[in-house]
Amino acid sequence: MNDAVVTMEKVGGRTLRVATWRLDEPSDHLPILFFNGIGANIEAVAPLADEMSDRGFIMFDMPGTGESPDPVIPYNPFTMSWTAAELLGRHAIGEVDVMGVSWGGAMAQHFALQHPKRTRRLALAATTAGMLMVPGNPASFTKMANPRRYIDPEFMNEHFATLYGGVDADGAKHQKDSHIGRLKPPPRAAISTSCCACSAGPAFPRCHSCRRKR
C-alpha cells in the first residue's frame, strides 16, 4: 500500500478503516470514491489506487470487513451511501468520480442515485445493473456462493480464472504478493450482512437519471 494514509475513523456512529491516497496533492482530476467487492478489504484494491497516480483516491472497509469492526446495527445501501458522503465531507471532498467493482458496483450506483450532486462520473466493473441484466457465466455462480473463495487460498487459486477472468501466473508460489495474499477473510456474518444490504436497495435501474452534462 504505497503512499496510502490508513486511519480508523468514526463516521455516522460507525468505526471504519479508511485509506486515502494523494488527497493533499494538486490534480486536474476529481478524486475517486471506491466501493469494494463483497468481503474484500482495502488491500485487494491498493495496487489500483497506487497506479492511478494522477488523482486522489479514497475507500474504506465495510463494517465487518478487513479491519473495520463488525456492525452493531445492520446497514443497507442508503445508510452506507450516507456514511460515505459524510466521510467525503470530513476530508473536505465535494464532487467525486465514483467507482465500484462487483458488489461495490451496486453500492456505487446507489451512491450516485442518492448523491447526484457529489457524483460526476460513475465507473462500474464486473457488477450488475439490477434485475435487467445479461447473466454472467453460470460456471462462476456456484464458486461465488461458496465462502471458501474468501478464506481458502487453494480454492481461490484453483478457481481464479472462473471467478476473475484471468490466471494468477505465479500460482501458489507468490500468494503473499498476489491478489490472494492481499485478502483478509471476513467473518461469514459479514458476508451475510452485505448480501442482505444490497437486497434491500432495488433502486439501481434508476441510475440513468444521475447522468449530468459536462
XYZ file of all heavy atoms in Angstrom, residues 37-41 61-71 74-75 103 147 150-151 184-198:
265
model
N -15.602 -4.998 -3.604
C -16.463 -6.160 -3.722
C -16.797 -6.744 -2.359
O -16.149 -6.452 -1.347
N -17.793 -7.594 -2.318
C -18.270 -8.158 -1.063
C -17.150 -8.939 -0.362
O -16.457 -9.760 -0.964
C -19.500 -9.061 -1.314
C -20.125 -9.505 0.014
C -19.139 -10.256 -2.168
C -21.473 -10.181 -0.170
N -16.954 -8.625 0.892
C -15.958 -9.330 1.689
C -14.522 -8.938 1.428
O -13.615 -9.478 2.051
N -14.277 -8.000 0.501
C -12.902 -7.640 0.137
C -12.419 -6.447 0.952
O -13.150 -5.482 1.151
C -12.811 -7.329 -1.357
N -11.190 -6.506 1.402
C -10.599 -5.444 2.208
C -9.827 -4.463 1.328
O -9.648 -4.679 0.130
C -9.679 -6.039 3.284
C -8.725 -7.067 2.720
O -9.152 -8.093 2.196
N -7.436 -6.792 2.807
N -13.016 -0.011 4.417
C -13.506 -1.360 4.676
C -14.933 -1.264 5.188
O -15.206 -0.524 6.149
C -12.643 -2.067 5.730
C -11.308 -2.561 5.186
O -11.200 -2.758 3.964
O -10.379 -2.748 6.004
N -15.845 -1.984 4.564
C -17.220 -2.026 5.049
C -17.258 -2.620 6.467
O -16.349 -3.377 6.848
C -18.086 -2.878 4.117
C -18.503 -2.168 2.846
S -19.776 -0.928 3.188
C -19.841 -0.111 1.580
N -18.263 -2.278 7.257
C -18.358 -2.844 8.610
C -18.268 -4.368 8.596
O -18.938 -5.035 7.804
C -19.741 -2.377 9.078
C -19.978 -1.106 8.322
C -19.356 -1.330 6.978
N -17.377 -4.907 9.418
C -17.191 -6.343 9.490
C -16.233 -6.902 8.465
O -15.972 -8.101 8.443
N -15.689 -6.042 7.609
C -14.755 -6.464 6.563
C -13.388 -5.862 6.821
O -13.284 -4.743 7.320
C -15.258 -6.012 5.179
O -16.540 -6.608 4.928
C -14.300 -6.431 4.080
N -12.329 -6.582 6.456
C -10.989 -6.062 6.679
C -10.753 -5.808 8.152
O -10.891 -6.707 8.975
N -10.443 -4.558 8.485
C -10.204 -4.208 9.887
C -11.249 -3.258 10.441
O -11.059 -2.677 11.506
C -8.796 -3.618 10.030
C -7.710 -4.633 9.705
C -6.308 -4.084 9.915
O -6.158 -3.106 10.680
O -5.359 -4.609 9.306
N -12.362 -3.082 9.726
C -13.489 -2.343 10.302
C -14.249 -3.270 11.240
O -14.521 -4.422 10.884
C -14.428 -1.836 9.204
O -13.847 -0.775 8.472
N -14.613 -2.795 12.432
C -15.322 -3.658 13.383
C -16.656 -4.145 12.838
O -17.247 -3.525 11.939
C -15.532 -2.731 14.590
C -14.536 -1.634 14.428
C -14.346 -1.453 12.960
N -17.120 -5.262 13.376
C -18.426 -5.784 12.989
C -19.509 -4.742 13.281
O -19.427 -4.007 14.273
C -18.748 -7.061 13.767
C -17.839 -8.218 13.372
O -17.197 -8.123 12.317
O -17.777 -9.204 14.133
N -20.537 -4.673 12.431
C -21.607 -3.702 12.662
C -22.463 -4.079 13.865
O -22.839 -5.239 14.035
C -22.426 -3.760 11.366
C -22.175 -5.140 10.834
C -20.766 -5.483 11.220
N -27.327 -3.440 11.645
C -27.203 -3.785 10.222
C -27.254 -2.534 9.344
O -27.854 -1.525 9.697
C -28.421 -4.690 9.975
C -28.760 -5.242 11.316
C -28.439 -4.152 12.298
N -26.614 -2.615 8.188
C -26.601 -1.479 7.274
C -27.270 -1.858 5.953
O -27.509 -3.031 5.663
C -25.177 -0.988 7.036
C -24.217 -2.008 6.484
C -24.118 -2.227 5.112
C -23.384 -2.757 7.320
C -23.229 -3.158 4.590
C -22.499 -3.694 6.805
C -22.428 -3.883 5.443
O -21.552 -4.811 4.927
N -20.000 -6.402 -5.980
C -20.975 -5.897 -5.002
C -20.822 -4.392 -4.817
O -21.803 -3.664 -4.678
C -20.750 -6.624 -3.673
C -21.658 -6.242 -2.554
C -22.842 -6.828 -2.220
C -21.444 -5.199 -1.584
N -23.385 -6.208 -1.112
C -22.540 -5.211 -0.708
C -20.429 -4.261 -1.392
C -22.653 -4.320 0.359
C -20.540 -3.371 -0.338
C -21.631 -3.405 0.529
N -18.317 -19.693 0.391
C -17.490 -18.804 1.216
C -16.010 -19.170 1.238
O -15.180 -18.369 1.672
C -18.108 -18.937 2.614
C -18.829 -20.243 2.604
C -19.319 -20.420 1.192
N -13.208 -16.776 -0.032
C -12.654 -15.700 0.791
C -11.613 -16.193 1.779
O -10.781 -15.416 2.238
C -13.774 -15.007 1.582
C -14.826 -14.369 0.722
C -16.087 -14.942 0.594
C -14.570 -13.190 0.028
C -17.054 -14.363 -0.188
C -15.537 -12.602 -0.755
C -16.781 -13.191 -0.859
O -17.734 -12.621 -1.648
N -11.696 -17.463 2.144
C -10.884 -17.930 3.264
C -9.917 -19.050 2.911
O -9.082 -19.418 3.729
C -11.789 -18.408 4.426
C -12.679 -19.575 3.966
C -12.634 -17.254 4.957
C -13.576 -20.135 5.071
N -8.066 -10.429 3.278
C -8.221 -10.815 4.668
C -9.605 -11.426 4.820
O -10.603 -10.741 4.606
C -8.079 -9.610 5.597
C -8.244 -9.974 7.062
C -8.077 -8.759 7.957
C -8.255 -9.152 9.427
N -8.101 -7.989 10.331
N -9.703 -12.713 5.164
C -11.007 -13.368 5.220
C -11.968 -12.670 6.185
O -11.622 -12.447 7.349
C -10.671 -14.783 5.720
C -9.235 -14.976 5.373
C -8.599 -13.624 5.510
N -13.170 -12.306 5.724
C -14.155 -11.701 6.619
C -14.953 -12.777 7.339
O -15.033 -13.920 6.866
C -15.058 -10.932 5.647
C -15.034 -11.768 4.413
C -13.643 -12.374 4.339
N -15.570 -12.452 8.471
C -16.456 -13.412 9.122
C -17.633 -13.731 8.215
O -18.067 -12.897 7.423
C -16.923 -12.662 10.383
C -15.955 -11.548 10.560
C -15.472 -11.184 9.204
N -18.173 -14.925 8.331
C -19.317 -15.291 7.477
C -20.504 -14.371 7.742
O -21.291 -14.093 6.842
C -19.703 -16.747 7.729
C -18.629 -17.711 7.279
C -19.139 -19.118 7.180
N -18.079 -20.039 6.769
C -18.288 -21.281 6.374
N -19.510 -21.756 6.325
N -17.282 -22.047 6.026
N -20.643 -13.896 8.983
C -21.746 -12.992 9.301
C -21.636 -11.707 8.501
O -22.649 -11.128 8.087
C -21.757 -12.679 10.792
N -20.407 -11.242 8.252
C -20.220 -10.008 7.481
C -20.659 -10.203 6.047
O -21.251 -9.309 5.428
C -18.754 -9.586 7.531
N -20.389 -11.378 5.466
C -20.810 -11.660 4.099
C -22.330 -11.674 4.023
O -22.937 -11.100 3.116
C -20.239 -13.006 3.621
C -18.707 -12.948 3.632
C -20.741 -13.350 2.229
C -18.044 -14.272 3.321
N -22.979 -12.308 5.003
C -24.441 -12.365 5.019
C -25.036 -10.970 5.139
O -26.017 -10.634 4.469
C -24.921 -13.239 6.184
O -24.427 -14.557 6.055
N -24.426 -10.136 6.000
C -24.921 -8.775 6.175
C -24.819 -7.986 4.885
O -25.732 -7.257 4.508
C -24.125 -8.054 7.279
O -24.272 -8.774 8.506
C -24.637 -6.632 7.472
N -23.702 -8.140 4.168
C -23.508 -7.429 2.913
C -24.518 -7.875 1.865
O -25.055 -7.059 1.112
C -22.084 -7.651 2.386
O -21.131 -7.125 3.283
N -24.775 -9.183 1.799
C -25.758 -9.693 0.839
C -27.144 -9.138 1.131
O -27.860 -8.702 0.226
C -25.793 -11.220 0.882
S -24.316 -12.018 0.203
N -27.520 -9.130 2.393
C -28.826 -8.596 2.778
C -28.909 -7.096 2.520
O -29.963 -6.566 2.177
C -29.095 -8.878 4.260
S -29.336 -10.624 4.637
N -27.782 -6.403 2.672
C -27.772 -4.952 2.489
C -28.194 -4.571 1.089
O -29.048 -3.709 0.887
C -26.377 -4.388 2.788
N -27.613 -5.215 0.083
C -27.938 -4.831 -1.293
C -29.270 -5.388 -1.746
O -29.871 -4.860 -2.670
C -26.821 -5.242 -2.247
S -25.590 -3.927 -2.424
